[in-house]
Amino acid sequence: MPSATASGADATPNGSAKSRDHNQGNQDRKYTVEQKTAVIRVRKCSVTAFYEILGLEKTVSDAEIKKAYRKLSLLTHPDKNGYEGADEAFKLVSRAFQVLSDADKKSKYDQFGGDPDNRFGPGTASASSPFSSFARSSSGGGRGPMFDDEISPEELFNRFFGGGMGGRGGGFGPFGGDMFGGGGSQFVFNLGGGPGFRVHQFGGGRPQRRPREANGAPEERHASATSILTNLLPLLILFVLPLLSSLFSGDSTPSGPQFRFKADPPYTMHRRTHNFKAEYFVNPNEIRNKRLAKLGSQPLSTAPLAVQGTLEADVAVANPSASGPSSSKADEDPDTSDRQPVTVSGVKVPDNPFSQLGLKQANGNGPRINITSGPPRPNTPRADTPSSGKGKSTPITPETLDIWEDKTLSGIFRLSLDPKVGKDAHGRSLYYVGGVRGDLEDNHESIKLSTAVLDQAVIEAASNLGKTTPLDYLLACWKRVSRLFKSLKPIKVGDVKQGIVREARRLCMSYCIWAITMPDMFGREPSPTSQLTSHLLVDQEDDRGVCHEFLTEMISRFQDDESAVEAMSIAMEDLSRELTSKSMNDDYKPYVLALRTLVRYPALVNLIVQSPRFLPPDITAFTIETGTILGPFFRISPLQGDVTTNYFSSPKTRDKGYIANSQNALRLTLRAHQADLLDITNHIIRTNKEAREKMLSWFAICMNTNHKRRAYQIDPKTVSTDGFMINVTVCLDQLCEPFMDATFSKIDRIDVEYLRRKPRIEFKDETKLNADQSTSDEYYSHHIEGETNFISEVFFLTLAAHHYGTEATNQQLSQLEKDLKHMEKRLALLEAERPKYTSRQQLVLFENAVKKYNDHIEKGISYKLAVQGVLLDELMQARSMQFMRYVIIWLLRIVGSGQNIPKNVIRLPLADDEPGVWKCLPEYFLDIVVGNFKFIMRNMPQVITATQSDELVMLCITFLQSSEYIKNPGIKSGLVTILYHGIWPVYGRSKGILGDLLNSLPFATEYLLHALIKFYIEVENTGTHTQFYDKFNVRYEIFQIIKCIWSNTIYRERLAQESKVNVDFFVRFVNLLLNDVTFVLDESLSTFVKIHDLQQELRLNATMESAQRTEKEEALADAQGKAKSYMQLTNETVAMLKLFTEALADSFTMPEIVQRLADMLDYNLDAMIGPKSSHLKVENPQEYSFNPRVLLAEIVDVYLNLRGKENFIIAVARDGRSYKPTNFENTTTVLRNKGLKSSEELAAWTALGEKFKKAKEIDSQAEEDLGEVPDEFLDPLMYTLMEDPVILPTSKTSVDRSTIRSHLLSDPNDPFNRAPLKIEDVVPDTALKARIEAFKAEKKGKRLAEANLMDTTAG
């Protein structure tokens, strides 16, 4: 009967299990870069991270799941992809699709996580089983749960694509295959131990519920009941007996290893649960003993001393399988084919039947199977031990101490004193030490190893290792001697055996240190790097790895052995140096894990922070990433060099789905690395005060050397990289998390006086919020004594990190997008010149230039996509928002004079006397909040919570209302931009994230509209060279916010009430609004006239010369661009004029405003309806957002809103330039014909036109009655008869009050000598006013006299 093989191995004819290291069949097959990238990405995923494997989000549809599987399965199929690990990636992809394409499994997976087919996984009722740690297959390779899938990856692939790509055949019997045949048999059995049963699966293929049909019909199998029972009999004996034994054992102690949630030696082996990624630590030695027990031995610590000699040599010392997977050939298990079977009830089975089945025995606490021994296995005698006759057993004689010592030391150090003995009893190579044998012979001593000659023996062996290095050899020896030392329990004080092993252990460590520091002792050339560094990168379980016991022993020698200190210091520094040459494309993870392990030892942390490379003097921003110990670890990022092109190769040709998947993969990789960085940082900080101080100083250096990152033009060689600074920022964000609770209970611990207590961050040259340099210097010259707490240190470091880190990266991303657009335009121009190059040589040069441009553009696009992938990480931004929330409350408490914010709402307006500390704060304390929320609102508003929205609105309104607290107009504009982006429709919310809040929050309804109007006025003069264009951008955003809240009657009522109280404030606002309407309307309409003329000229003049036509076309394109910009602003500005004239008619008809308003309306009505209106007709007017009908209707609405104001009617009638009664008549016709107004509105418009006519007649008659007006009575600016003349104090000129008031609304200077002037400074010219009144009375009297005379004559 063929023997069963280990799960997943193929059964061979002779019954032996074939190794898993089989030829996959794809070793010689080629692969593309895309296939390689897909395999690498998938294999980095956890085996149950099904969404991540397929590169999907949880909200995907079934169609998207199928699409992702179709793409990935083709990329990773081993028959098409020859890259190493493709078969494993293919299995992961197939398993992910099986789960996510099944509605029931997908539901369980979404609810519980983990593999839904795993009986002991979190998705089942057995999640709390004490045997859950054994519910996974140990075969590795991403095989998933013990109970494998119902369908193989190949069959799934064949079914999905309707064909085969190397599918595997094979019939199915009643148990999913041939019962015990070579078709890959499979068994499930229970082995007793504890209150439940351990379930083991072994044998060939996976269990199948449905038979796979060959040629359309299932294969039939016939077997008699007798033959089946005969075949099953050995298994029944082997498996049923222990099962029955377990039922009566009564042992209910869980056999799992002990664990801790924090690294607490000896619990140093880091592990992470499969489903929930919970991190914990176990004792590696306990794990090792468990593994040995499963191999068929008792744990070493419980072996009786009477048989220790055998265990020590054969198990504890010479069993490399317990040390890790990297054993050399000489250390492999010997061939066991010569072992004799044992007999169980007359049936012969191997002495360890579980090993034949590919299984490991459970721990020694469970019930044992009573197996009687057959003929004993022959022993190979030692060369120096006399042997009895062949096949004859001899009595066992007690082992002497010198023999035990010889065997033990030989097993530990793999030494031999007999040149004929080159291998031990297990077939492992021994090193012959002839020099030691010769010395023993010369001294006539027994030819045995002892501690007396161990020094010489180790040196001789380590000096003749060939390709094996002395440290490799000695570390393996250390593992063996450490295991043996722990297994020995002295019966009495001074136990000789333990003393021998202790001395061997001491010597082994000493030689390890010498192998690291003095390799020439063993005939090796000194290396420029530490010998220990490469071993720190190996897993602790490997013989070459550095284990917890090794580090602990080496640390214990620090006080007495400087070489041990030197060895570890150099090794850790070399670890950092080697990482400088690696990127995220390389195998960087071992370096990070090594440092994570090392920082768990306080003594090693002290060495790290005391190293000259931790805080080197004169370090620069560019070299901090490679010149410090921590720099290379924080440097690892997906923004490094070629990493971006690896994630985003050929970015121009990629669709959005590919880019999104790549960005998701990038984010997941970066998150894992940043978690490692936080763990390293936390351990350093928590070690002791010195380590904490130096860690904070390192962060401060990162900030202080990178001030140039906020410059507009950056030299990359003078600053740190984006990836490095983002990692630093994220790490500091997470260090702040412990004190950022929802109740702000620790916010008072943030000490603002830290800035005057020798702070680590340098901010002297930073712009302050509202103080000049001298005021700031004077304030900070007064130092405050005292200690600074950790919370304050981290808080202010994190503020600086956001300024120089993420915000600087965001700024550079914006600049990169502009540069890419510019380069693409240049490339288009270059391509247009291709016909000019005719010769071959010229074409070669031209193609090279084009390729260079394309390469630069593609590299830039890849970097842009990578940066976007990093910055759009919701988890990172959620942490950032949490920190920004604390900054907001902290700032509001400073200006709120001790108010308990946010529990209490801040009171506005703020005090006129600004706090000195506020004025002298670095400007970026507020700027990073504004910049961060602008980015979030624009790109991912969904991460902002409701409480953050409340506080954000409070911040924006507070500093727009009390804008004098902030000097920089850019920051204040940013506050408006946040509110503007907050009302953008998003995710079904028509008013965005903040729209509903602005309409319901009492703080907003009370202060928002006034704050917006105030900044509308203030932005007229920002002091920047771009203020003219900036003001229109800001006012456009203000208009959108006002439109969002205008439907709320509370706002309109409050506005009307305030306009009556604060008249001057609203007059200034109305004046500026009129200025804007006048300007944008004039620019827009005149631009359309230009476009009309150019289009006519180009269309009608077909014979125009080429150069002239090109010039005209360029002028047309320029005019069209201007028309698009101005028309958008025109539409919004006229809409605002319509809203405000309806609500604030009195403010728009004040003497200093009304005439300008009337003139503007008449001028634009004439342009749109008068004789020249045909010049506004252009091709495709909708391209410019130009709708003449809508614009005309809104201008008419403004007229109608003011029709009840007499002074407005008079002002329109007095407009001598543009008022034409025919324009109103023509407008009536257009409104009626186009259906733009209702009949009621048309009647009101007609009546208003008649009022204008009548007023015009009256005004004309009055002007005629006055006749010639003396110049001294005319206003020197408007040349109209003054009604209320006043004298200007400096120029002594008399002007009309309404004229000078109107002038001062736009210009605060005397129009005649440019001296500063306020309306309060003017002096009424009573004498002139009396003379004007007398003149008017005289003219009126003459007119009346003439009228009476005419009446008398007529009579």
Side-chain angles (χ1 to χ4, degrees):
M1 180 179 70
S3 64
T5 60
S7 175
D10 297 332
T12 58
N14 61 4
S16 63
K18 188 184 293 182
S19 169
R20 288 186 181 280
D21 299 328
H22 59 282
N23 192 323
Q24 298 174 9
N26 63 349
Q27 279 77 0
D28 298 328
R29 199 160 289 154
K30 296 182 179 180
Y31 54 87
T32 65
V33 174
E34 186 176 11
Q35 288 175 325
K36 173 183 175 182
T37 303
V39 171
I40 292 173
R41 185 191 70 77
V42 171
R43 291 188 66 193
K44 286 182 179 180
C45 301
S46 170
V47 293
T48 58
F50 299 137
Y51 288 107
E52 180 185 348
I53 289 170
L54 295 182
L56 300 171
E57 299 290 342
K58 276 195 173 184
T59 56
V60 293
S61 64
D62 291 343
E64 290 172 316
I65 293 173
K66 292 180 181 178
K67 181 179 178 183
Y69 170 71
R70 181 184 294 109
K71 179 179 179 181
L72 274 176
S73 61
L74 290 172
L75 280 176
T76 58
H77 198 290
D79 289 348
K80 288 182 172 289
N81 188 340
Y83 185 69
E84 180 182 0
D87 58 340
E88 179 181 344
F90 178 64
K91 292 176 184 177
L92 291 172
V93 171
S94 300
R95 181 58 188 157
F97 177 66
Q98 288 178 35
V99 173
L100 298 183
S101 61
D102 186 305
D104 184 51
K105 293 180 181 180
K106 182 174 182 291
S107 175
K108 291 180 179 178
Y109 176 71
D110 290 340
Q111 185 176 3
F112 301 107
D115 195 319
D117 289 336
N118 181 2
R119 283 174 46 182
F120 301 125
T124 70
S126 304
S128 60
S129 168
F131 303 100
S132 59
S133 60
F134 299 98
R136 302 244 170 231
S137 169
S138 60
S139 60
R143 286 184 57 83
M146 179 177 294
F147 297 98
D148 282 324
D149 315 327
E150 296 180 4
I151 183 169
S152 70
E154 286 291 351
E155 185 176 357
L156 175 68
F157 184 87
N158 293 337
R159 290 183 181 181
F160 189 90
F161 290 94
M165 290 183 62
R168 299 178 179 87
F172 281 74
F175 296 99
D178 190 355
M179 189 73 174
F180 296 107
S185 53
Q186 191 170 49
F187 311 103
V188 177
F189 71 94
N190 298 332
L191 182 63
F197 307 101
R198 294 203 182 97
V199 182
H200 296 264
Q201 172 180 320
F202 57 95
R206 301 177 177 180
Q208 307 284 332
R209 290 187 181 177
R210 294 185 297 274
R212 184 182 301 175
E213 298 178 359
N215 298 325
E219 181 181 349
E220 295 184 2
R221 298 191 180 271
H222 304 280
S224 67
T226 304
S227 63
I228 293 176
L229 182 60
T230 303
N231 289 336
L232 284 175
L233 184 58
L235 292 177
L236 291 173
I237 295 172
L238 285 173
F239 303 145
V240 173
L241 283 178
L243 174 59
L244 294 174
S245 177
S246 70
L247 293 175
F248 299 96
S249 65
D251 183 3
S252 61
T253 304
S255 59
Q258 297 293 316
F259 66 93
R260 300 287 187 272
F261 287 114
K262 292 185 179 180
D264 184 15
Y267 298 94
T268 58
M269 182 183 291
H270 179 261
R271 288 290 184 266
R272 181 179 293 166
T273 62
H274 189 71
N275 294 322
F276 297 106
K277 303 295 183 286
E279 296 186 346
Y280 61 97
F281 298 86
V282 296
N283 185 344
N285 296 315
E286 189 176 350
I287 297 298
R288 189 179 298 113
N289 285 337
K290 290 285 180 185
R291 291 177 179 174
L292 289 174
K294 290 181 182 180
L295 290 172
S297 303
Q298 291 181 345
L300 296 177
S301 60
T302 62
L305 282 177
V307 294
Q308 281 277 321
T310 304
L311 286 175
E312 289 154 3
D314 293 345
V315 179
V317 176
N319 185 5
S321 65
S323 301
S326 304
S327 304
S328 63
K329 283 189 176 181
D331 294 336
E332 293 176 358
D333 289 338
D335 185 7
T336 59
S337 61
D338 61 341
R339 292 186 179 180
Q340 298 298 321
V342 297
T343 304
V344 180
S345 302
V347 180
K348 292 183 178 180
V349 296
D351 57 347
N352 183 1
F354 304 104
S355 64
Q356 290 292 319
L357 297 172
L359 300 171
K360 299 178 181 179
Q361 182 177 328
N363 61 46
N365 296 330
R368 306 188 183 283
I369 302 173
N370 188 12
I371 302 176
T372 59
S373 178
R377 175 187 173 189
N379 257 336
T380 304
R382 288 176 57 94
D384 56 354
T385 305
S387 175
S388 59
K390 286 189 177 180
K392 297 181 180 180
S393 61
T394 58
I396 300 176
T397 58
E399 191 173 50
T400 61
L401 183 62
D402 59 341
I403 293 176
W404 181 89
E405 183 177 15
D406 174 55
K407 290 171 62 177
T408 300
L409 296 179
S410 175
I412 292 172
F413 293 96
R414 302 281 165 84
L415 302 176
S416 172
L417 292 172
D418 188 342
K420 297 178 182 179
V421 179
K423 293 184 180 294
D424 64 7
H426 298 284
R428 292 179 283 252
S429 296
L430 301 177
Y431 298 100
Y432 174 61
V433 284
V436 176
R437 181 185 178 95
D439 290 346
L440 291 173
E441 290 175 345
D442 292 344
N443 295 330
H444 306 290
E445 297 179 12
S446 176
I447 309 302
K448 293 183 176 64
L449 286 172
S450 66
T451 55
V453 298
L454 187 57
D455 263 315
Q456 180 183 350
V458 171
I459 292 178
E460 183 176 347
S463 301
N464 298 280
L465 296 172
K467 293 184 178 179
T468 303
T469 66
L471 190 55
D472 284 343
Y473 164 71
L474 290 166
L475 280 174
C477 295
W478 171 264
K479 295 283 181 68
R480 293 189 287 270
V481 73
S482 294
R483 287 194 293 269
L484 179 57
F485 181 75
K486 287 188 293 185
S487 70
L488 291 174
K489 291 185 177 179
I491 299 175
K492 58 183 178 180
V493 178
D495 181 70
V496 178
K497 288 186 177 181
Q498 192 179 53
I500 292 171
V501 177
R502 180 183 289 109
E503 177 63 11
R505 188 170 182 267
R506 184 191 66 80
L507 287 173
C508 185
M509 173 55 68
S510 297
Y511 280 109
C512 283
I513 296 174
W514 291 333
I516 298 168
T517 58
M518 295 185 293
D520 49 343
M521 173 184 287
F522 306 98
R524 302 287 176 133
E525 291 293 329
S527 172
T529 58
S530 172
Q531 297 285 332
L532 182 59
T533 304
S534 61
H535 297 273
L536 293 173
L537 303 176
V538 181
D539 189 272
Q540 293 186 21
E541 293 292 297
D542 194 293
D543 271 355
R544 296 183 65 250
V546 177
C547 61
H548 166 68
E549 290 79 9
F550 181 91
L551 292 173
T552 303
E553 179 65 21
M554 179 172 270
I555 290 169
S556 70
R557 297 192 176 200
F558 279 1
Q559 188 171 359
D560 301 321
D561 190 350
E562 286 293 331
S563 62
V565 176
E566 179 186 3
M568 282 306 305
S569 296
I570 295 175
M572 291 187 292
E573 290 179 0
D574 285 347
L575 197 71
S576 173
R577 287 192 185 94
E578 288 184 14
L579 188 58
T580 59
S581 61
K582 299 187 179 297
S583 70
M584 201 165 265
N585 282 344
D586 304 312
D587 190 17
Y588 70 93
K589 196 70 174 178
Y591 294 86
V592 180
L593 295 179
L595 186 60
R596 282 191 67 175
T597 300
L598 295 175
V599 296
R600 281 166 167 74
Y601 299 87
L604 299 184
V605 172
N606 289 334
L607 287 185
I608 291 173
V609 299
Q610 290 167 6
S611 167
R613 279 178 55 83
F614 193 83
L615 291 173
D618 303 325
I619 196 73
T620 65
F622 185 68
T623 58
I624 195 172
E625 298 183 29
T626 56
T628 64
I629 287 181
L630 294 181
F633 295 90
F634 280 83
R635 181 172 176 262
I636 295 293
S637 167
L639 304 184
Q640 283 179 278
D642 295 334
V643 182
T644 57
T645 54
N646 186 36
Y647 276 102
F648 305 98
S649 58
S650 305
K652 286 185 174 181
T653 63
R654 301 298 184 180
D655 58 24
K656 292 182 178 180
Y658 174 90
I659 291 173
N661 290 338
S662 297
Q663 288 178 333
N664 285 334
L666 174 151
R667 283 192 281 267
L668 291 172
T669 304
L670 182 58
R671 284 181 190 174
H673 179 59
Q674 289 172 344
D676 290 335
L677 294 178
L678 176 65
D679 183 69
I680 291 168
T681 303
N682 255 327
H683 276 88
I684 294 176
I685 286 174
R686 296 174 186 274
T687 298
N688 52 45
K689 183 177 181 180
E690 180 190 7
R692 180 175 67 249
E693 292 297 309
K694 290 196 173 183
M695 187 73 241
L696 294 176
S697 294
W698 184 83
F699 280 128
I701 287 177
C702 296
M703 312 308 150
N704 296 335
T705 56
N706 273 290
H707 285 204
K708 291 182 180 179
R709 277 180 57 83
R710 294 314 304 263
Y712 287 104
Q713 296 294 330
I714 300 175
D715 180 0
K717 294 182 179 180
T718 62
V719 296
S720 299
T721 60
D722 290 334
F724 173 84
M725 293 301 294
I726 288 175
N727 284 340
V728 169
T729 305
V730 171
C731 185
L732 285 168
D733 268 341
Q734 294 179 86
L735 287 178
C736 291
E737 284 184 343
F739 65 81
M740 293 193 301
D741 60 327
T743 60
F744 300 93
S745 62
K746 297 181 180 178
I747 196 169
D748 291 332
R749 299 282 304 279
I750 302 172
D751 185 7
V752 71
E753 296 299 345
Y754 163 82
L755 300 174
R756 294 201 287 177
R757 196 180 292 124
K758 296 182 180 178
R760 296 178 198 272
I761 55 173
E762 297 174 0
F763 58 89
K764 179 180 179 182
D765 297 332
E766 292 290 345
T767 306
K768 305 305 185 292
L769 274 170
N770 207 17
D772 55 27
Q773 191 64 44
S774 60
T775 303
S776 172
D777 291 345
E778 196 277 332
Y779 177 80
Y780 287 112
S781 64
H782 301 286
H783 295 289
I784 304 296
E785 298 298 327
E787 291 291 327
T788 300
N789 59 65
F790 178 75
I791 290 178
S792 297
E793 292 268 21
V794 176
F795 179 80
F796 289 107
L797 281 172
T798 309
L799 281 171
H802 276 277
H803 180 57
Y804 302 116
T806 50
E807 290 307 305
T809 302
N810 189 15
Q811 172 185 300
Q812 292 169 33
L813 176 62
S814 300
Q815 185 59 45
L816 175 62
E817 291 172 340
K818 295 177 183 177
D819 292 342
L820 286 173
K821 289 181 180 179
H822 177 71
M823 291 179 69
E824 287 172 346
K825 288 181 181 178
R826 292 287 302 274
L827 180 61
L829 292 174
L830 189 63
E831 286 284 3
E833 296 180 359
R834 183 182 291 273
K836 295 181 180 179
Y837 303 99
T838 54
S839 70
R840 182 179 181 82
Q841 184 177 4
Q842 287 179 331
L843 279 175
V844 170
L845 294 174
F846 177 81
E847 292 294 345
N848 288 338
V850 171
K851 184 178 183 302
K852 183 178 179 181
Y853 255 97
N854 270 318
D855 289 345
H856 278 296
I857 291 174
E858 291 217 340
K859 188 174 181 180
I861 294 174
S862 296
Y863 188 78
K864 181 189 76 170
L865 294 174
V867 173
Q868 289 174 340
V870 172
L871 293 180
L872 294 177
D873 183 353
E874 289 193 8
L875 179 60
M876 183 187 84
Q877 293 296 354
R879 290 196 188 104
S880 177
M881 291 299 97
Q882 185 183 8
F883 176 75
M884 293 303 164
R885 183 188 180 204
Y886 255 66
V887 178
I888 289 173
I889 298 303
W890 182 73
L891 292 174
L892 290 176
R893 287 194 176 195
I894 291 177
V895 298
S897 302
Q899 298 179 48
N900 188 12
I901 303 166
K903 185 177 182 180
N904 298 327
V905 178
I906 192 169
R907 294 185 294 274
L908 296 181
L910 299 177
D912 294 337
D913 186 18
E914 298 176 45
V917 62
W918 167 263
K919 292 193 292 185
C920 296
L921 285 179
E923 187 178 82
Y924 69 75
F925 282 20
L926 181 59
D927 191 30
I928 62 169
V929 177
V930 174
N932 200 283
F933 274 101
K934 281 170 60 177
F935 179 83
I936 295 297
M937 282 294 185
R938 189 164 51 243
N939 298 286
M940 46 198 310
Q942 68 275 8
V943 303
I944 301 178
T945 64
T947 53
Q948 288 172 343
S949 299
D950 290 358
E951 292 146 7
L952 180 61
V953 168
M954 189 184 300
L955 177 83
C956 294
I957 294 176
T958 296
F959 291 113
L960 287 174
Q961 174 84 346
S962 300
S963 57
E964 59 276 5
Y965 270 58
I966 304 172
K967 182 170 57 176
N968 187 344
I971 295 178
K972 291 181 277 191
S973 300
L975 298 173
V976 175
T977 302
I978 290 173
L979 297 175
Y980 165 63
H981 286 300
I983 62 171
W984 277 6
V986 58
Y987 303 112
R989 301 172 68 173
S990 60
K991 293 186 178 181
I993 299 296
L994 300 180
D996 292 334
L997 185 64
L998 296 179
N999 279 289
S1000 59
L1001 188 68
F1003 185 81
T1005 57
E1006 184 173 359
Y1007 299 114
L1008 175 60
L1009 196 52
H1010 180 92
L1012 291 174
I1013 293 175
K1014 180 178 180 181
F1015 191 62
Y1016 185 101
I1017 297 170
E1018 184 179 330
V1019 79
E1020 179 71 17
N1021 297 294
T1022 62
T1024 64
H1025 66 285
T1026 58
Q1027 69 176 14
F1028 181 76
Y1029 300 100
D1030 291 343
K1031 71 176 182 180
F1032 286 113
N1033 292 330
V1034 173
R1035 287 171 177 171
Y1036 173 82
E1037 293 175 353
I1038 290 175
F1039 292 156
Q1040 301 306 308
I1041 300 169
I1042 292 175
K1043 285 171 67 176
C1044 176
I1045 62 176
W1046 194 255
S1047 59
N1048 190 334
T1049 56
I1050 298 176
Y1051 279 108
R1052 296 203 302 272
E1053 291 169 0
R1054 193 176 297 278
L1055 182 67
Q1057 182 180 0
E1058 193 170 356
S1059 67
K1060 298 175 182 177
V1061 176
N1062 199 349
V1063 177
D1064 289 341
F1065 173 79
F1066 277 91
V1067 167
R1068 292 180 62 197
F1069 165 68
V1070 168
N1071 176 71
L1072 293 174
L1073 180 60
L1074 281 181
N1075 289 345
D1076 290 348
V1077 174
T1078 303
F1079 174 79
V1080 297
L1081 267 175
D1082 184 60
E1083 287 292 323
S1084 298
L1085 298 182
S1086 61
T1087 302
F1088 284 124
V1089 171
K1090 185 176 182 180
I1091 292 173
H1092 168 82
D1093 294 342
L1094 287 170
Q1095 288 177 342
Q1096 286 283 91
E1097 190 174 358
L1098 289 169
R1099 184 172 59 252
L1100 299 177
N1101 194 349
T1103 60
M1104 187 182 299
E1105 294 182 2
S1106 176
Q1108 186 180 5
R1109 177 172 288 275
T1110 301
E1111 182 182 352
K1112 297 290 185 182
E1113 288 174 346
E1114 290 177 355
L1116 176 61
D1118 181 64
Q1120 289 173 331
K1122 288 177 62 178
K1124 291 178 182 179
S1125 300
Y1126 281 124
M1127 199 60 223
Q1128 187 178 17
L1129 189 59
T1130 297
N1131 291 334
E1132 298 300 330
T1133 309
V1134 174
M1136 282 300 102
L1137 181 64
K1138 173 184 171 183
L1139 292 179
F1140 280 104
T1141 52
E1142 181 182 14
L1144 303 173
D1146 290 337
S1147 297
F1148 281 88
T1149 53
M1150 297 186 69
E1152 55 267 38
I1153 296 294
V1154 66
Q1155 191 60 56
R1156 291 183 53 238
L1157 173 61
D1159 293 348
M1160 180 272 296
L1161 291 173
D1162 290 344
Y1163 175 82
N1164 288 289
L1165 184 66
D1166 183 56
M1168 296 194 68
I1169 210 75
K1172 295 183 180 181
S1173 60
S1174 59
H1175 292 181
L1176 297 177
K1177 293 182 179 180
V1178 296
E1179 299 171 3
N1180 301 320
Q1182 64 276 6
E1183 180 182 345
Y1184 318 103
S1185 301
F1186 178 40
N1187 190 331
R1189 298 178 185 177
V1190 173
L1191 183 59
L1192 176 64
E1194 291 195 331
I1195 291 176
V1196 168
D1197 285 336
V1198 175
Y1199 276 106
L1200 293 176
N1201 288 339
L1202 302 175
R1203 65 181 182 272
K1205 303 298 179 180
E1206 188 64 28
N1207 55 346
F1208 172 70
I1209 295 174
I1210 294 173
V1212 171
R1214 286 181 175 176
D1215 178 13
R1217 183 182 65 166
S1218 302
Y1219 170 70
K1220 299 170 184 175
T1222 55
N1223 286 341
F1224 288 88
E1225 296 168 1
N1226 294 337
T1227 300
T1228 303
T1229 303
V1230 172
L1231 294 176
R1232 182 182 297 109
N1233 293 341
K1234 303 299 181 181
L1236 299 179
K1237 293 295 178 185
S1238 64
S1239 57
E1240 292 81 2
E1241 290 173 320
L1242 283 173
W1245 174 254
T1246 303
L1248 182 60
E1250 293 300 321
K1251 287 184 178 181
F1252 291 147
K1253 280 184 182 180
K1254 186 174 181 180
K1256 180 64 175 177
E1257 293 172 357
I1258 295 173
D1259 188 68
S1260 297
Q1261 183 61 50
E1263 185 176 352
E1264 182 180 346
D1265 292 342
L1266 288 175
E1268 189 72 21
V1269 179
D1271 290 343
E1272 60 177 326
F1273 296 163
L1274 294 176
D1275 183 274
L1277 295 178
M1278 303 300 295
Y1279 293 99
T1280 57
L1281 181 64
M1282 291 186 283
E1283 299 289 337
D1284 184 14
V1286 293
I1287 302 173
L1288 305 184
T1290 56
S1291 64
K1292 305 301 182 182
T1293 305
S1294 293
V1295 295
D1296 194 67
R1297 183 182 294 274
S1298 62
T1299 301
I1300 195 61
R1301 283 179 65 93
S1302 179
H1303 170 81
L1304 291 177
L1305 291 174
S1306 303
D1307 186 350
N1309 299 312
D1310 188 319
F1312 301 100
N1313 62 5
R1314 307 304 302 162
L1317 177 63
K1318 294 181 180 179
I1319 192 63
E1320 295 84 2
D1321 299 333
V1322 300
V1323 180
D1325 193 344
T1326 53
L1328 181 59
K1329 183 176 182 179
R1331 291 166 56 199
I1332 293 173
E1333 292 297 331
F1335 171 76
K1336 289 166 64 177
E1338 179 185 354
K1339 292 294 184 179
K1340 185 177 181 181
K1342 283 187 178 181
R1343 182 175 64 80
L1344 290 174
E1346 291 175 356
N1348 292 330
L1349 180 61
M1350 290 177 62
D1351 291 341
T1352 304
T1353 305

